[in-house]
Amino acid sequence: MTNPFLSPWTTAFDIPPFADISDADFKPAFEAGLAEGRAGIKAIAENPDAPTFENTIEAMETCEELLSKVLGVFYGIAGADSNDVREGLQRDFGPILADYSSEITANTALFERVDALWQARDTLDLTDEQMRVLMLTRRSFVRSGAQLEGDDIARMAKIKSRLSTLGTTFSQNLLGDESAWFMELTEADLEGLPEFVVDAMRASGASKDLSGPCLTTSRSLFVPFLQFSPRRDLREAVFHAWKSRGSRGGETDNRDNAAEILKLREERAKLLGYESFATFKLETEMAKTPQAVRDLLMQVWEPAKTAAEKDGAILEEMLHADGYTGPLEAWDWRYYSEKRRKIEHDLDEAELKPYLQLDRMIEAAFACATRLFNLEFEPLDATLYHEDVRGWNVTRDGEHLAVFIGDYFARASKRSGAWCTAMRSQKKLGGDTKPIVLNVCNFAKATGDKPNLLSYDDARTLFHEFGHALHQMLSNVTFESISGTSVARDFVELPSQLYEHWLEVPEVLEEFATHADTGEAMPADMLKRLLDAQTYDQGYTTVGYVASALTDLNFHDGDAPADPMQSQAQTLDQLGMPKATTMFHEAPHFQHVFAGDGYSCGYYSYMWSEVMDADAFDAFKEAGAFDAGTAARLEEHILSAGGSADPEVLYTAFRGRMPGPEAMLKGRGLA
């Protein structure tokens, strides 16, 4: 049978023919893609003609099309619908790709062609976009070790290969821990839980072929359980299960992996002449230096810590009023915070949740994109990689713009969290290629014909990931290497976090927050209470985030710690972490930092981007939430521009200036 990757696709919009693709197809297609890529690179490096932008840079941009085609599909589904075969392929592909990358950057003849173009750049009559791609290409070579000599070349290749293996192992260990742990619950254990939580527990049990409900460490299950269960013993048990992911001993323990990753990153940076991995990594980000990151985080830490300590004292009084002695613990915070929210804001999530139906929130995200950018979304009748996954044809003025795929429900084969990826990125070089963009979330799936309900945080996550999707779908550049979200890490979260704000626009909730049973709109007083409570518990939330970001920074700023857990403890001790608050991510399950290089020494970027997103939404507040002119500037200078210019240039073109942190602090209620 013909390998689907090796033949043209005849599907609508060239969507991958998932029904025809088997796991057995990936490896031979991958090997064919590598062979094609190697042949292309060899031809470029050995070209007897003098280097030109077209025969070198553009040729490099187009010589790996088959490999990109295979990997776009494979990695698109590997994290969302894993199995033993795909996990094995991930372990195999990672070091092979790292070696392939090292081959390219160590190709002296190839780098000489790129460098020659860079040295002659002022004579080449390049467009701004071409100049940007040339600069980024050369910089990538240099930062990958193209100017290394002797034994350092081989050592750098070994470091990259080992880091790839360790990152894959880290992620798969965590998925294994999350899949393996569950707690069967009796009917008595469900006491005090709202119906939507009970339904989710029953659905979880059914998915594991159990006769009754069960609790897992999926965020869509353990968070509402911590919020609503009066059973302090069970809250403690699930909290410890969540906290101990990746550190339970045995084959899935990630502590040694994390230590080795940090040591290799330090060695990599020093081979390239940097004093630490932090200085290496941040050089190309908006922040530029570790001190700039630290300054921002510490500016937020003190008011967040003060707020958390004040809130913690109130919650501890509530704990004591329930007859418990001793201090408030981490497994108590969400339970008493939910009670306090109901008292102070008259807001009960069990009452709120029926108004936040998944399908209606998807409609809301689409409707905002329609009003802002004139996009239309038509459901696709296509076979995708899982029965729960849905697709839409995205158009503007009748013209196809992108395919959007949504994969929203938690399952054992899916890694935790939420993310956006492109199975195919937008580009114009070699033809007008339209993107195929995937949003992945982990919402609880309802049983039977019951509607799927979201928490407000879930709805915010949906809007966040759709903001990333818009960055991919509205991309309008020539070169794939700067397409969509191919931007600085501390700029990439701007479109996603900015889009969250439209969930807070009253007219959006008035239209789309309708009751699952009655169809009635959310009552005006409930809507007001919901929006008034947006800064509630921000001390706890901000402390958890900033502690994680500073821990990540300290892992990489200076000598790599031999024991990441000890380094983490020292960071929290130096900060004076308020009791009963918790980090968002501890080292053994900190996927942002250890499952790959993307967010390594970069977890701060959410807050760096938040400084911009708060200021950017102020522009819409000033002109109107759906002001056409402001939306057009946002698309022109940020959403469509990809990495075609420095982030500071793009943001300044949109807003007229760079922002300070005041709007961000105000938005968190910490001003």
Side-chain angles (χ1 to χ4, degrees):
M1 186 175 179
T2 304
N3 190 310
F5 289 104
L6 305 182
S7 302
W9 292 343
T10 59
T11 51
F13 312 117
D14 287 332
I15 296 173
F18 292 105
D20 299 329
I21 297 172
S22 72
D23 287 342
D25 294 321
F26 286 117
K27 185 174 182 180
F30 172 73
E31 291 172 344
L34 275 178
E36 179 186 88
R38 284 193 169 102
I41 292 297
K42 185 174 187 293
I44 298 166
E46 296 179 0
N47 189 340
D49 296 336
T52 65
F53 188 86
E54 291 75 16
N55 71 18
T56 303
I57 304 302
E58 288 190 0
M60 290 172 62
E61 288 269 338
T62 58
C63 74
E64 297 173 344
E65 290 189 350
L66 176 57
L67 187 60
S68 296
K69 183 178 182 180
V70 176
L71 296 180
V73 176
F74 176 73
Y75 283 111
I77 66 175
D81 193 27
S82 186
N83 58 34
D84 290 343
V85 174
R86 292 170 192 170
E87 289 188 10
L89 290 172
Q90 280 184 286
R91 291 191 294 270
D92 293 342
F93 289 176
I96 293 173
L97 287 169
D99 292 346
Y100 173 64
S101 174
S102 295
E103 287 175 27
I104 294 173
T105 53
N107 188 318
T108 303
L110 183 64
F111 177 64
E112 286 177 351
R113 294 180 71 87
V114 173
D115 193 49
L117 291 172
W118 177 247
Q119 301 306 326
R121 62 190 179 277
D122 293 335
T123 68
L124 300 180
D125 194 26
L126 300 179
T127 67
D128 290 345
E129 186 175 336
Q130 288 173 324
M131 186 69 80
R132 175 74 173 171
V133 170
L134 174 59
M135 184 278 290
L136 292 173
T137 302
R138 182 185 181 276
R139 188 177 75 179
S140 176
F141 269 84
V142 172
R143 287 171 59 81
S144 295
Q147 294 178 316
L148 294 177
E149 298 177 350
D151 293 342
D152 289 348
I153 297 173
R155 181 56 189 160
M156 178 64 80
K158 288 182 178 179
I159 289 173
K160 290 181 183 178
S161 182
R162 180 60 179 160
L163 282 171
S164 176
T165 296
L166 288 168
T168 300
T169 300
F170 188 98
S171 183
Q172 292 184 351
N173 283 351
L174 185 55
L175 177 61
D177 265 11
E178 291 173 341
S179 300
W181 190 92
F182 63 92
M183 179 193 297
E184 293 189 63
L185 301 176
T186 67
E187 292 301 315
D189 296 335
L190 303 177
E191 173 197 351
L193 297 178
E195 183 180 359
F196 76 85
V197 181
V198 173
D199 288 344
M201 302 297 170
R202 295 195 193 283
S204 175
S207 72
K208 293 184 177 295
D209 297 323
L210 301 175
S211 59
C214 84
L215 182 58
T216 73
T217 54
S218 170
R219 188 173 185 85
S220 61
L221 292 178
F222 85 83
V223 168
F225 190 85
L226 290 177
Q227 284 178 300
F228 294 108
S229 176
R231 289 284 301 276
R232 197 182 189 207
D233 58 330
L234 297 181
R235 296 200 309 267
E236 180 179 3
V238 70
F239 175 82
H240 284 306
W242 173 81
K243 183 182 173 69
S244 66
R245 292 170 301 149
S247 59
R248 297 174 187 161
E251 293 183 354
T252 60
D253 196 297
N254 271 331
R255 287 172 289 190
D256 288 345
N257 292 328
E260 187 178 355
I261 288 169
L262 294 175
K263 191 65 179 174
L264 289 173
R265 285 176 179 164
E266 178 192 13
E267 185 181 358
R268 175 186 174 189
K270 289 185 174 179
L271 277 174
L272 294 170
Y274 294 86
E275 64 182 25
S276 69
F277 183 79
T279 56
F280 163 72
K281 184 65 184 291
L282 294 171
E283 178 186 49
T284 59
E285 307 297 336
M286 294 183 75
K288 305 301 182 190
T289 68
Q291 190 59 49
V293 173
R294 199 176 301 279
D295 288 346
L296 173 64
L297 294 175
M298 290 307 299
Q299 188 172 357
V300 179
W301 174 258
E302 289 303 330
K305 178 184 175 183
T306 299
E309 289 175 335
K310 179 180 177 182
D311 291 340
I314 295 171
L315 301 185
E316 188 167 271
E317 291 179 3
M318 296 172 69
L319 171 77
H320 293 164
D322 275 354
Y324 295 105
T325 58
L328 184 79
E329 301 287 358
W331 49 90
D332 296 318
W333 190 292
R334 291 182 185 274
Y335 178 70
Y336 287 102
S337 180
E338 181 64 25
K339 280 191 166 187
R340 182 186 172 201
R341 185 173 74 147
K342 188 173 181 180
I343 294 169
E344 295 188 2
H345 294 278
D346 192 19
L347 202 59
D348 183 350
E349 185 163 322
E351 182 184 359
L352 172 66
K353 203 159 186 176
Y355 290 97
L356 300 174
Q357 301 174 69
L358 171 60
D359 286 348
R360 294 293 280 155
M361 291 300 101
I362 294 172
E363 288 180 47
F366 289 175
C368 290
T370 298
R371 293 185 64 180
L372 289 164
F373 310 114
N374 196 29
L375 303 183
E376 298 292 340
F377 300 83
E378 179 185 358
L380 282 172
D381 182 14
T383 300
L384 301 173
Y385 61 85
H386 191 278
E387 62 183 4
D388 287 340
V389 181
R390 292 179 271 177
W392 291 266
N393 173 27
V394 186
T395 62
R396 177 151 59 188
D397 297 328
E399 179 183 350
H400 172 67
L401 202 66
V403 169
F404 175 68
I405 299 174
D407 181 355
Y408 295 109
F409 298 123
R411 52 180 173 267
S413 62
K414 182 188 290 187
R415 67 177 172 89
S416 59
W419 64 95
C420 175
T421 188
M423 288 189 171
R424 183 176 68 224
S425 296
Q426 179 271 332
K427 64 176 181 177
K428 294 180 182 176
L429 186 66
D432 191 6
T433 300
K434 303 298 187 182
I436 298 176
V437 184
L438 172 64
N439 272 182
V440 184
C441 299
N442 270 280
F443 305 141
K445 185 179 181 182
T447 56
D449 58 357
K450 292 185 177 181
N452 296 291
L453 306 179
L454 304 181
S455 67
Y456 191 74
D457 283 345
D458 288 339
R460 188 188 298 276
T461 296
L462 187 149
F463 268 68
H464 177 101
E465 297 306 332
F466 192 71
H468 281 309
L470 286 172
H471 202 181
Q472 296 275 19
M473 294 189 293
L474 291 173
S475 179
N476 187 25
V477 297
T478 301
F479 301 96
E480 183 176 356
S481 61
I482 57 169
S483 174
T485 57
S486 297
V487 299
R489 185 62 57 181
D490 48 12
F491 190 65
V492 77
E493 296 297 336
L494 168 60
S496 55
Q497 294 180 177
L498 174 59
Y499 205 67
E500 292 179 30
H501 289 284
W502 274 276
L503 183 60
E504 302 169 1
V505 175
E507 65 189 272
V508 174
L509 289 172
E510 287 168 1
E511 180 176 358
F512 294 99
T514 56
H515 198 280
D517 295 329
T518 67
E520 294 180 357
M522 182 182 291
D525 66 321
M526 180 184 289
L527 175 60
K528 183 178 185 303
R529 285 182 274 123
L530 172 63
L531 296 177
D532 286 348
Q534 290 309 293
T535 60
Y536 176 71
D537 217 17
Q538 275 297 314
Y540 173 83
T541 301
T542 306
V543 158
Y545 167 78
V546 174
S548 299
L550 283 166
T551 297
D552 169 35
L553 179 63
N554 289 342
F555 281 157
H556 298 98
D557 189 15
D559 295 338
D563 182 353
M565 299 302 291
Q566 183 181 22
S567 172
Q568 173 182 294
Q570 289 173 344
T571 296
L572 299 185
D573 183 61
Q574 291 167 0
L575 289 172
M577 186 80 170
K579 65 179 182 179
T581 61
T582 58
M583 300 172 65
F584 277 11
H585 310 282
E586 298 197 2
H589 54 256
F590 208 160
Q591 287 206 96
H592 282 78
V593 173
F594 293 111
D597 237 9
Y599 281 87
S600 58
C601 199
Y603 195 62
Y604 77 92
S605 60
Y606 290 93
M607 185 155 284
W608 193 276
S609 293
E610 189 178 343
V611 170
M612 290 180 285
D613 84 64
D615 177 70
F617 195 67
D618 275 353
F620 282 93
K621 289 180 180 177
E622 294 160 8
F626 294 98
D627 179 68
T630 309
R633 291 202 313 276
L634 178 67
E635 179 176 354
E636 178 185 358
H637 298 299
I638 294 177
L639 296 178
S640 72
S644 60
D646 282 335
E648 294 91 340
V649 172
L650 295 176
Y651 189 86
T652 302
F654 164 67
R655 194 69 167 111
R657 52 163 175 72
M658 288 299 292
E662 294 79 16
M664 180 269 293
L665 289 167
K666 181 180 178 182
R668 284 182 174 253
L670 301 174

